[in-house]
Amino acid sequence: MKKHRETITSLFFSLLLLSIAVACNMGTNEKKHERSKNKSGTVVSTSEYSDVYLEADSWRNWSPPKALLGYKLQRFVTDPFKLTGLYSANARYEKGEKWMDVQLIDGSTEKGTAEIRDHLEIAGLQRDHSSEYGYEKTLERKGIKAKEEYLSPPAGQYMIKFMLREYYGVSVKSNAETAAEIWHFIDQLKMEELGE
């Protein structure tokens, strides 16, 4: 009985070590930036002199600027979910401790439509609520209806969502000082090029 217990314990620790080794990719981190091609045929490019991670140069004819209003592009990833029927892009910009995350989702597919259901609902929403925890409101800006949310500190973050061209869901999350700064940033992204 004691020998049987030792065998089981030994087997358990062997499997535990094996699973840790597999989870850590056998100790190699070199493959993080070496994906050769994704499903859309884009090539990953990095530079040894830059910490910017670019999985593609553009998505749906839109290219994120490398620098914008003092913010620098840190990463641009296309189709991060790698799911058939769900197409999106994510760009992250940073300026010191401040950051902007821009997510674009193509809602022209069934999965895409499901993913942007919050964006689609904005057209029929009327919100204007605030409390000590932040606020949530809908507004119209340059002919586009949007939802703007703010979480008070310690989070101190904004989330702005809107639809672009009827099937692109756009979300911008940031810890910028003001919503006006984020809107100015959004204006400079030139997202009207999407899908052209």
Side-chain angles (χ1 to χ4, degrees), residues 83-134:
L83 296 173
T84 303
L86 181 58
Y87 308 106
S88 62
N90 183 277
R92 179 165 177 107
Y93 289 85
E94 294 178 1
K95 175 171 70 172
E97 295 294 315
K98 299 298 178 190
W99 49 266
M100 301 261 188
D101 268 334
V102 180
Q103 183 179 39
L104 308 162
I105 299 175
D106 183 341
S108 64
T109 65
E110 188 176 327
K111 285 182 184 175
T113 301
E115 195 64 31
I116 63 168
R117 64 186 171 278
D118 290 345
H119 296 79
L120 293 168
E121 291 173 358
I122 292 171
L125 282 180
Q126 282 301 117
R127 295 271 166 86
D128 191 3
H129 172 75
S130 63
S131 73
E132 63 194 70
Y133 303 108

Side-chain angles (χ1 to χ4, degrees), residues 51-65:
D51 58 354
V52 177
Y53 177 73
L54 298 174
E55 188 181 78
D57 293 328
S58 67
W59 183 77
R60 304 289 193 265
N61 293 330
W62 176 73
S63 297

Side-chain angles (χ1 to χ4, degrees), residues 42-176:
T42 56
V43 178
V44 173
S45 63
T46 60
S47 167
E48 63 184 87
Y49 303 107
S50 171
D51 58 354
V52 177
Y53 177 73
L54 298 174
E55 188 181 78
D57 293 328
S58 67
W59 183 77
R60 304 289 193 265
N61 293 330
W62 176 73
S63 297
K66 304 291 187 266
L68 189 59
L69 302 174
Y71 286 86
K72 291 187 179 175
L73 181 65
Q74 296 300 309
R75 86 173 168 264
F76 179 57
V77 180
T78 57
D79 301 321
F81 305 112
K82 306 296 184 226
L83 296 173
T84 303
L86 181 58
Y87 308 106
S88 62
N90 183 277
R92 179 165 177 107
Y93 289 85
E94 294 178 1
K95 175 171 70 172
E97 295 294 315
K98 299 298 178 190
W99 49 266
M100 301 261 188
D101 268 334
V102 180
Q103 183 179 39
L104 308 162
I105 299 175
D106 183 341
S108 64
T109 65
E110 188 176 327
K111 285 182 184 175
T113 301
E115 195 64 31
I116 63 168
R117 64 186 171 278
D118 290 345
H119 296 79
L120 293 168
E121 291 173 358
I122 292 171
L125 282 180
Q126 282 301 117
R127 295 271 166 86
D128 191 3
H129 172 75
S130 63
S131 73
E132 63 194 70
Y133 303 108
Y135 70 82
E136 176 184 43
K137 66 180 180 179
T138 52
L139 56 109
E140 190 163 320
R141 190 166 183 283
K142 296 185 178 183
I144 295 174
K145 186 141 184 202
K147 182 167 80 168
E148 185 180 293
E149 300 172 358
Y150 176 71
L151 293 174
S152 299
Q157 296 178 3
Y158 290 91
M159 171 70 89
I160 296 175
K161 293 182 178 182
F162 58 93
M163 288 297 297
L164 190 63
R165 292 186 176 213
E166 298 182 18
Y167 51 85
Y168 289 111
V170 179
S171 301
V172 180
K173 188 174 183 179
S174 177
N175 66 346

